[in-house]
Amino acid sequence: MIAVNVQLLRVLEAVMVPRPAPVPDPAPQAPPGLAEKMEVLLAWGKWGVLVCGVAGLFICAGQMAIGRKNRSAFAADGATGIPWVLGGLSLAATAAPIVGVFFK
């Protein structure tokens, strides 16, 4: 009796529970005339991140040099800033491949 009821429930579930329709997944495509402008904008953004990264490393080096004597906390702040700057530069360098993984 229990086996029949379980089988009946499975049949009813198969008939009555709606299945979701497949979601369309088109390839990304830039609007006409916008691709070239976006490439220029992204190139400017990469250049800006590079300039900020160099400035960040200079600032960290300056903090370490100034904090060398009697200001060890200032030097430590400069030293702890270096991994953050390098992390930001690494993320900027790998941003396009990381995003590309999701759109292949």
Side-chain angles (χ1 to χ4, degrees):
M1 183 72 166
I2 294 176
V4 174
N5 288 340
V6 171
Q7 190 175 18
L8 179 63
L9 285 174
R10 288 184 183 155
V11 169
L12 288 174
E13 179 187 19
V15 173
M16 297 182 73
V17 175
R19 302 287 179 219
V23 177
D25 188 20
Q29 181 179 2
L34 191 61
E36 298 83 20
K37 294 176 184 175
M38 286 307 297
E39 285 183 19
V40 170
L41 186 63
L42 289 173
W44 289 352
K46 284 176 132 178
W47 180 82
V49 168
L50 178 66
V51 169
C52 290
V54 170
L57 288 175
F58 281 154
I59 290 169
C60 290
Q63 284 180 317
M64 291 172 66
I66 292 170
R68 187 178 67 87
K69 291 195 175 188
N70 298 330
R71 292 189 268 315
S72 60
F74 197 62
D77 287 343
T80 56
I82 292 173
W84 288 101
V85 173
L86 295 177
L89 287 171
S90 300
L91 184 60
T94 60
I98 289 172
V99 173
V101 167
F102 296 106
F103 289 106
K104 285 190 177 188

